[in-house]
Amino acid sequence: MSNSPALARRLGTFDASLIGLGSMIGAGVFAAFTPAAAAAGSGLLIGLLVAAFVAFCNATSSAQLAAAYPTSGGTYIYGRERLGPWSGFLAGWGFVIGKTASAAAMAMTFAAYAAPQGWERPVAMAAVVVLTAVNYHGVTRTAGLTRVLVIAVLAALAIALAAVWGGSGPDFGSLVGDGLLAHGWYGILQSAGLLFFAFAGYARIATMGEEVREPRRTIPRAISIALGITILIYAVIAVTLLAALGPDGVAATPTPLADAVSAGTLAWAAPVVRVGAAVASLGALLALIAGLGRTSLAMAREHDLPHWLSAVHPRYKVPHRAEIAVAAVICVIIAVADLRGAIGFSSFGVLLYYLVANVAAYTQPAQDRRYPKFLQVAGAVACLVLVATLPPVSAGLGVLMFAAGIVYRLVRLRLSRPTR
């Protein structure tokens, strides 16, 4: 292990829960229901329950592991400690490549709502630079800004829901459309795979385990609080959208919540939804940059990424080099990539990340066990099932990126092997 300075433990349960909420209640709350409705129609309600159950299984594994290994890096560290260096590397690699794509997507989503036409990419890059600067100046700054963003997003959602229900009112007759099973179980599982990433932000709490006070108590509690609140919010929004627009109406628009508000008698609230979407994207981006920096730090400490990324700023106690490097890669992706397929690519990496987490938690001894083993088995199987529903192009690109990571590590191990 590296002898680099430790990060500062400054986060309590409230701030850690808010960072998880800021990660989960991101741009997905305004956009993820469109592809889910296209895949499953009103069956997305079942898909939402499946996604929530998978997220719960994964969250219990993450919480159980984080309590035993309260350091930065999340499943990268858990995989190394429980399953060996290769499992840890594959988990960390999956997180870094998947969440870097997600971060670029969040930045571009923000720009789509906030930037003048033609200025989307520069504005997206500017958002990355500004939020990286916030992270650079300390995790308490990150938590403070996250608190403001989460409160603003929750206020925008509350106004939007009040406008839909207080206006002409949704039609419950359109809630189920042609029926919950009209698109079959494959469509429902596909919608679950899309909606799962609305919940994936709880991992950000675990990756920041070295900056949480009393981590054995705080991390499991913060994960449970953040996930429970998010599931409730998504369930209310799903029912509202389907009742207001119907399954076909939700599938036909990239901005279903704004359209649901506009369709009612209180259409003045629609701009509030657009502002909320932009703010939510910033909250998710802020948390993603923080989590990516900490996982990159942990991998660099073990030489699974270039070791110079393991530096911790002497004043601000953050992995400043790792965060700057991550920001640079995100900006490159924004500059050159079409990110419409970024979610599928991100899904591949993150689902395999959680697969390692579930297997690692399954191997923990009785004294570290907080949840029954069947939850870890269910979580691991569900991750594999959801990977199988991803578009072939996304899965193929994911396989190529994992192959590149394996080659990188093999070369690094060969170069570091002592000569005889």
Side-chain angles (χ1 to χ4, degrees), residues 22 37 41 44 52 113 116 121 134 141 155 158 197 219 246 272 337 367 370 400 402 409:
L44 72 85
Y113 282 95
R121 292 181 191 272
V134 172
R141 300 287 180 88
F197 295 95
I219 292 175
V272 175
Q367 62 267 26
R370 293 167 175 258
L400 287 176
F402 269 87
R409 191 167 194 270

Side-chain angles (χ1 to χ4, degrees), residues 13 15-16 42 44 51 55 58 79 83 91 98 107 129 212 245 252 264 288-289 292 296 304 325 327 386 411 414:
T13 300
D15 284 332
S42 59
L44 72 85
N58 294 343
L83 305 172
V129 171
V212 173
L245 301 177
L288 279 167
I289 293 171
L292 282 164
S296 299
D304 279 335
L386 294 185
V411 170
R414 179 173 291 275

Side-chain angles (χ1 to χ4, degrees), residues 21-414:
L21 277 174
S23 304
M24 288 185 274
I25 306 177
V29 76
F30 298 93
F33 289 104
T34 294
S42 59
L44 72 85
L45 292 173
I46 302 176
L48 184 64
L49 293 176
V50 173
F53 175 72
V54 176
F56 173 75
C57 292
N58 294 343
T60 59
S61 292
S62 295
Q64 182 172 290
L65 288 160
Y69 304 101
T71 186
S72 286
T75 300
Y76 169 71
I77 294 297
Y78 314 150
R80 284 184 63 91
E81 294 291 336
R82 303 302 314 166
L83 305 172
W86 269 107
S87 294
F89 172 80
L90 293 175
W93 187 262
F95 183 89
V96 169
I97 63 172
K99 289 303 183 180
T100 299
S102 290
M106 291 298 98
M108 295 190 75
T109 300
F110 163 74
Y113 282 95
Q117 188 172 3
W119 285 84
E120 289 87 351
R121 292 181 191 272
V123 169
M125 293 181 193
V128 172
V129 171
V130 170
L131 294 185
T132 300
V134 172
N135 273 320
Y136 189 100
H137 285 83
V139 71
T140 52
R141 300 287 180 88
T142 300
L145 181 55
T146 298
R147 184 184 300 120
V148 174
L149 294 176
V150 169
I151 291 172
V153 172
L154 292 178
L157 290 174
I159 292 171
L161 292 172
V164 174
W165 290 96
S168 56
D171 176 14
F172 280 100
S174 62
L175 180 62
V176 296
D178 295 330
L180 293 176
L181 302 179
H183 291 249
W185 280 102
Y186 182 81
I188 288 172
L189 289 175
Q190 196 169 65
S191 74
L194 293 164
L195 292 169
F196 168 76
F197 295 95
F199 302 115
Y202 52 78
R204 223 77 69 246
I205 302 170
T207 62
M208 302 179 76
E210 200 171 320
E211 294 157 284
V212 173
R213 297 193 300 268
E214 300 182 70
R216 292 179 181 274
R217 179 179 65 90
T218 299
I219 292 175
R221 180 182 294 181
I223 288 175
S224 299
I225 292 171
L227 181 60
I229 293 173
T230 301
I231 291 172
L232 178 62
I233 291 172
Y234 269 75
V236 172
I237 292 173
V239 170
T240 301
L241 291 178
L242 290 172
L245 301 177
D248 292 339
V250 177
T253 172
T255 55
L257 195 55
D259 285 12
V261 173
S262 298
T265 58
L266 301 177
W268 59 265
V272 175
V273 178
R274 297 187 67 85
V275 172
V279 172
S281 301
L282 286 179
L285 178 59
L286 179 67
L288 279 167
I289 293 171
L292 282 164
R294 275 67 183 174
T295 300
S296 299
L297 165 72
M299 295 183 73
R301 283 172 170 172
E302 302 293 343
H303 299 274
D304 279 335
L305 287 178
H307 189 63
W308 63 271
L309 294 175
S310 66
V312 173
H313 195 282
R315 177 181 175 187
Y316 299 119
K317 305 299 182 184
V318 297
H320 57 297
R321 291 181 185 171
E323 289 192 345
I324 291 173
V326 164
V329 174
I330 295 171
C331 287
V332 169
I333 295 174
I334 292 170
V336 304
D338 177 1
L339 294 175
R340 287 177 296 181
I343 296 300
F345 172 68
S346 173
S347 302
F348 188 93
V350 177
L351 280 167
L352 291 182
Y353 173 90
Y354 284 116
L355 173 63
V356 174
N358 283 302
V359 175
Y362 183 85
T363 68
Q364 286 185 275
Q367 62 267 26
D368 290 335
R369 181 159 300 284
R370 293 167 175 258
Y371 305 97
K373 283 190 171 184
F374 83 85
L375 288 175
Q376 287 108 56
V377 174
V381 171
C383 286
L384 292 173
V385 170
L386 294 185
V387 163
T389 69
L390 293 176
V393 172
S394 298
L397 184 57
V399 169
L400 287 176
M401 289 302 298
F402 269 87
I406 290 170
V407 170
Y408 164 79
R409 191 167 194 270
L410 286 172
V411 170
R412 198 268 298 170
L413 289 174
R414 179 173 291 275

